[in-house]
Amino acid sequence: MITNNRRITAFCLLAIIAIWGIFCWPWLLDGRIIPYDAKNHFYPMIRFVAEAWHSGADFGWSPHHYGGFPMIADPQSAIWTPTFWIPTFISATPSMHLVDAIHLLHLLVGAFAIFGFGKISAWRWEASLIAALIYMMAGPSSLRLEHMLMTVSYMWLAVALWRLKAVLVHGGAWRGIAFGIALALLLIDRNHVAYLGAWLLFIYWLAAVFSDFKQPRPNALRRVHLPITIGGILALVLIAVPVILLLQLANDSNRPEFSYLQASWQSLHPAALFSFILPEYFGSLRLDGGKHWGPPSTIWGEKGLKIHRGMLHMYCGMVPLVAIVWFGVLKRQLLRGEARFFTIACLVCVLYALGRYTPVFRILYDAIPGVDLFRRPADALFVFGFSLALLTGALVQQGLAMRPCSRSPWLTSTVILALVALFVAMFRLASSLDRLADFANSLIVPTAVVAGSILAIVLAQRTGRQAQLAMIALVGIVAADLVYHSSNTRINARPPEAYQVLERAEEHPIFAHMLPLLDETDPLGIPWRTEIIGLGPVVQNLPQVIHSQGLLGYNPLRLSGFEQHIAPDMQNNASLKRNFGDRMIGYSSPLANQLGLRYVISGAPLHQIDPAYDSDHFTLMGTAKYKWRTAYFYENTRALPRVAVLSDTGTSLDREISVLAYENTHIALQVKAGVAGTLVLRDFHYPGWSATVNGQKVQVSKQDDLFRAIPLPAGSSRVEFQFNLLTRENLLGAAKALASAP
């Protein structure tokens, strides 16, 4: 058997790699792709950045997304995510499979970090390896691979905790700096998992400070806590710019914060707690399983729960359950040693995730700064899975080290009664919804796993070769259980065909008809705007890939003027749900013409989307079919050029305008001689856009609460617009505005 420490470490790391390879087999070698937001939203963002990088263009602003958007300020653009620079460097058109492979590598690196944490904590190798495998394949994270940047933050949380533990155990300035860099990389994507993970790290450090206060260690302040403080300050410095840009965007967006009601819509339903015990209780994972019947679903019937079923899974394996009952409860280790912190962390995360179903989230929402910036309490399940992995490792470490002792009959009876009550509740719920057959089927595999886990733990508490073989068997059970339940499910793996339009739009029966329209420009040479609506979630951000100037898109963040005047609360998935604003009151409104909206490609006839549209205004160019969808192509014959010169009274002045350059972040115009006026570029105004007229800087103001406008002198003028949010002037101005905000 393995006895040498280096050989054990090498064996464990190789085992993690091998199991990661098996877990990732469907995506890496079997042609599956990670679906939903990973493709609908994030993949087009990465494609845009990659193509801009390789063409030498600036990716700070995208004209292809919601009519124009400050990509560099949006955390979901992945511009500030170093690990996703890899596919953009490799190819100008990185494939879906390449992006998925880089994405899945985050789980492997995070598992290495968790193993490193256990090693620094002096855990036995089996405990560290079990924790690493649970972390890597826990349901809350692996079933939500679509939320790509949360997976990135999940990895950096593991790395940051590993580096924090290294400072707490060994001290040292360089270890403190390494922790600070990992913390910065955790926070730089500015998502909910990063926010909650930062709190976890902070409280873990505070617990160590309190412990050192009770039992002082020599030079702990200088060797340990000062380097951690320096690392924290370093992290704040490193993330200052992207955080300022995000807060600046949030301040001018549709969501500077979420109301409690909005956040509570995406709470973890209490019935979803059953998925912690039985992964297939609601029948929504296996490809050959039945129809999902839990929350949210039509059979469930509860209103006000606006959350995808993939966000309601808590299963992290049966071994954690056995460890909690056996070592945690019966051996009373849940609140002892390293396990205590992670037990409390698990409980707090569950209470947070339950959102509106307990008073805890409301208290945290009102009391803790930053909670109101996020819209999904159920995101706390990422940190729950993280904490549970470490709790399981700690319980295995502490429980196996204990000598056999007599158990309390009262405690044992209480545990048995609690388990019986739990299964009675699950039985009654399934019976009430006529799902007893599904319930019975969901018991088969977990029962076998529990039996194997109990047998392995019993044998592991002996000594010698038999015990070591039992622990290896327990590691194998963890791996097999989680691979079976978390890999290649209906939630995280799909065939690539439905998403191929994002790679080869020219071969798609519908969008092949759209591509020739992209060569059409207004009389000035600026591409017309196009609206895609009601053709499915896959193509919501297709304009980012094919370089169409799309008026709509898919992003939770939208500029406030756009949100109010053009399309409030609008994602472009469903045709019959087009929300018009207070100024673009329909497709036939003057604002639609001013926007240069030339083409609308819809999944339904336009009169079904906008009953007030003018059929003389919008002409049907034709239709195209693909499977069950029919696309309708409309042309707005009254769309106006993007640039105009207005008099003081708002009337249009007859000035000859030519476009010298129209790029992502640079626009150059030549305006021939005439009287003075106001030049209006009907692209969206945003801080960071500056302008010069004949080389002289002029003020860019907001026209009609939407567009960019500058004063134009009499005579001939060369006008240039430039976008750059990273100027010292913008960053200082944004910081001052945020500091003075109420």
Side-chain angles (χ1 to χ4, degrees):
M1 300 303 295
I2 301 172
T3 56
N4 181 274
N5 188 54
R6 290 186 178 180
R7 290 182 180 178
I8 289 175
T9 300
F11 166 78
C12 291
L13 296 180
L14 288 173
I16 292 171
I17 293 171
I19 294 167
W20 174 83
I22 296 170
F23 174 81
C24 297
W25 186 279
W27 300 283
L28 299 182
L29 295 173
D30 202 28
R32 297 269 169 170
I33 52 94
I34 300 168
Y36 307 129
D37 281 6
K39 299 298 173 287
N40 305 344
H41 180 70
F42 292 108
Y43 178 70
M45 300 296 183
I46 293 171
R47 275 286 297 268
F48 167 76
V49 173
E51 293 186 37
W53 172 266
H54 283 268
S55 66
D58 193 324
F59 43 73
W61 179 274
S62 170
H64 313 300
H65 187 60
Y66 276 116
F69 199 75
M71 292 283 286
I72 197 169
D74 182 5
Q76 299 195 73
S77 68
I79 287 174
W80 295 95
T81 309
T83 48
F84 280 122
W85 297 348
I86 299 171
T88 65
F89 291 158
I90 292 174
S91 172
T93 57
S95 68
M96 294 186 292
H97 289 102
L98 173 60
V99 174
D100 283 353
I102 301 300
H103 182 189
L104 292 164
L105 277 172
H106 291 88
L107 297 177
L108 178 63
V109 174
F112 287 161
I114 294 296
F115 181 82
F117 175 90
K119 192 172 176 62
I120 292 174
S121 302
W123 290 357
R124 54 190 297 163
W125 67 266
E126 301 95 331
S128 300
L129 184 54
I130 287 171
L133 296 180
I134 294 171
Y135 161 90
M136 186 168 68
M137 299 181 289
S141 57
S142 62
L143 295 177
R144 292 178 59 183
L145 289 171
E146 62 172 306
H147 296 113
M148 293 173 63
L149 297 188
M150 289 188 180
T151 303
V152 176
S153 298
Y154 187 66
M155 178 194 76
W156 287 119
L157 175 58
V159 175
L161 182 62
W162 171 40
R163 293 295 82 207
L164 176 59
K165 187 70 173 183
V167 187
L168 290 172
V169 172
H170 302 295
W174 288 110
R175 292 188 181 93
I177 291 172
F179 162 69
I181 294 172
L183 178 60
L185 290 167
L186 164 68
L187 295 172
I188 205 165
D189 285 314
R190 296 151 286 171
N191 57 57
H192 208 173
V193 172
Y195 172 80
L196 295 174
W199 275 111
L200 180 82
L201 294 169
F202 179 66
I203 296 170
Y204 189 84
W205 174 50
L206 285 185
V209 171
F210 180 73
S211 176
D212 285 341
F213 178 78
K214 288 178 62 179
Q215 297 180 348
R217 289 188 290 168
N219 299 318
L221 179 61
R222 179 180 61 81
R223 292 184 60 257
V224 174
H225 300 299
L226 181 58
I228 291 172
T229 303
I230 293 172
I233 294 171
L234 174 63
L236 294 177
V237 171
L238 291 175
I239 68 168
V241 169
V243 167
I244 288 173
L245 296 183
L246 172 61
L247 294 176
Q248 184 181 39
L249 173 58
N251 194 49
D252 190 27
S253 78
N254 60 312
R255 50 174 284 190
E257 63 181 28
F258 285 100
S259 69
Y260 172 77
L261 179 61
Q262 289 173 307
S264 70
W265 287 340
Q266 302 211 42
S267 301
L268 176 73
H269 194 283
L273 294 173
F274 291 152
S275 69
F276 181 56
I277 311 296
L278 297 177
E280 274 286 62
Y281 179 68
F282 294 116
S284 54
L285 297 183
R286 302 308 310 158
L287 297 175
D288 55 354
K291 185 177 180 180
H292 172 77
W293 60 272
S297 68
T298 53
I299 193 173
W300 193 261
E302 179 173 352
K303 297 181 180 180
L305 189 64
K306 300 183 179 182
I307 190 168
H308 188 270
R309 68 177 187 268
M311 302 172 195
L312 299 174
H313 278 277
M314 298 180 63
Y315 188 70
C316 298
M318 297 306 296
V319 169
L321 290 172
V322 174
I324 288 171
V325 173
W326 193 314
F327 298 137
V329 178
L330 297 179
K331 288 195 173 185
R332 305 180 185 182
Q333 294 298 301
L334 274 179
L335 297 178
R336 294 180 182 175
E338 191 88 74
R340 177 173 54 229
F341 177 86
F342 295 113
T343 297
I344 296 171
C346 286
L347 292 174
V348 172
C349 286
V350 170
L351 290 172
Y352 186 102
L354 286 168
R356 64 178 179 173
Y357 297 105
T358 79
V360 173
F361 180 71
R362 184 63 202 238
I363 295 170
L364 296 175
Y365 178 90
D366 292 332
I368 309 266
V371 173
D372 59 357
L373 297 176
F374 303 100
R375 65 190 174 106
R376 199 161 43 217
D379 288 338
L381 291 184
F382 273 90
V383 184
F384 165 78
F386 178 89
S387 301
L388 186 69
L390 290 161
L391 172 61
T392 305
L395 289 175
V396 170
Q397 172 67 21
Q398 294 169 202
L400 290 179
M402 294 181 65
R403 294 180 179 179
C405 58
S406 58
R407 296 185 179 89
S408 165
W410 177 87
L411 184 58
T412 302
S413 300
T414 301
V415 169
I416 292 173
L417 288 174
L419 292 174
V420 169
L422 177 64
F423 276 89
V424 167
M426 297 171 78
F427 175 88
R428 293 186 64 182
L429 176 60
S431 176
S432 68
L433 296 175
D434 195 25
R435 285 296 186 273
L436 284 179
D438 293 339
F439 174 50
N441 289 333
S442 71
L443 286 169
I444 298 171
V445 175
T447 301
V449 175
V450 168
S453 302
I454 292 174
L455 178 61
I457 289 175
V458 169
L459 295 176
Q461 294 182 97
R462 299 180 180 181
T463 59
R465 185 183 182 88
Q466 188 180 58
Q468 200 165 15
L469 287 172
M471 285 306 301
I472 293 174
L474 187 64
V475 170
I477 290 170
V478 171
D481 180 16
L482 290 174
V483 167
Y484 179 78
H485 286 112
S486 297
S487 176
N488 198 30
T489 74
R490 284 187 284 180
I491 293 175
N492 63 13
R494 289 294 177 97
E497 287 75 20
Y499 297 88
Q500 290 294 354
V501 64
L502 297 173
E503 290 187 338
R504 297 189 296 274
E506 69 279 2
E507 298 177 8
H508 194 279
I510 289 177
F511 294 98
H513 291 76
M514 176 183 173
L515 296 180
L517 303 179
L518 305 185
D519 296 328
E520 302 292 331
T521 65
D522 69 15
L524 305 179
I526 298 176
W528 293 111
R529 284 199 170 103
T530 301
E531 177 169 307
I532 300 174
I533 182 168
L535 291 170
V538 174
V539 298
Q540 287 180 284
N541 282 334
L542 179 65
Q544 288 278 66
V545 175
I546 63 175
H547 300 151
S548 166
Q549 295 214 2
L551 184 61
L552 294 181
Y554 175 39
N555 195 327
L557 277 175
R558 297 174 290 278
L559 298 181
S560 57
F562 181 99
E563 181 77 358
Q564 178 182 349
H565 303 309
I566 297 173
D569 198 27
M570 189 66 217
Q571 311 278 17
N572 57 342
N573 187 6
S575 293
L576 302 182
K577 295 182 180 179
R578 176 47 157 110
N579 303 321
F580 293 101
D582 58 9
R583 290 187 52 218
M584 184 177 169
I585 58 175
Y587 286 120
S588 301
S589 65
L591 181 57
N593 301 334
Q594 293 173 351
L595 287 166
L597 178 59
R598 186 73 175 189
Y599 303 107
V600 175
I601 304 167
S602 64
L606 219 54
H607 68 269
Q608 294 182 13
I609 303 172
D610 176 16
Y613 98 104
D614 185 350
S615 58
D616 294 330
H617 197 166
F618 277 81
T619 60
L620 180 64
M621 301 170 63
T623 61
K625 292 186 177 181
Y626 177 64
K627 294 184 178 180
W628 65 90
R629 294 190 187 278
T630 299
Y632 298 79
F633 289 75
Y634 290 89
E635 181 178 14
N636 176 13
T637 57
R638 300 180 192 173
L640 296 173
R642 197 76 62 85
V643 186
V645 178
L646 306 180
S647 67
D648 291 342
T649 60
T651 59
S652 180
L653 297 175
D654 187 15
R655 300 286 296 271
E656 186 176 341
I657 304 169
S658 57
V659 176
L660 306 178
Y662 191 92
E663 301 166 357
N664 292 347
T665 60
H666 176 244
I667 300 166
L669 311 170
Q670 185 68 46
V671 185
K672 290 196 174 179
V675 299
T678 300
L679 183 143
V680 178
L681 173 62
R682 294 187 177 113
D683 287 348
F684 298 132
H685 181 278
Y686 191 79
W689 278 105
S690 60
T692 60
V693 176
N694 297 324
Q696 299 297 313
K697 189 172 183 179
V698 295
Q699 181 68 34
V700 181
S701 58
K702 185 181 285 190
Q703 177 82 9
D704 294 333
D705 200 33
L706 284 171
F707 305 128
R708 302 171 213 153
I710 60 169
L712 191 71
S716 181
S717 300
R718 179 185 173 92
V719 177
E720 294 194 60
F721 289 89
Q722 189 74 38
F723 180 73
N724 186 1
L725 282 179
L726 298 179
T727 63
R728 181 173 177 271
E729 178 184 12
N730 179 69
L731 293 173
L732 288 177
K736 289 179 181 178
L738 294 169
S740 60

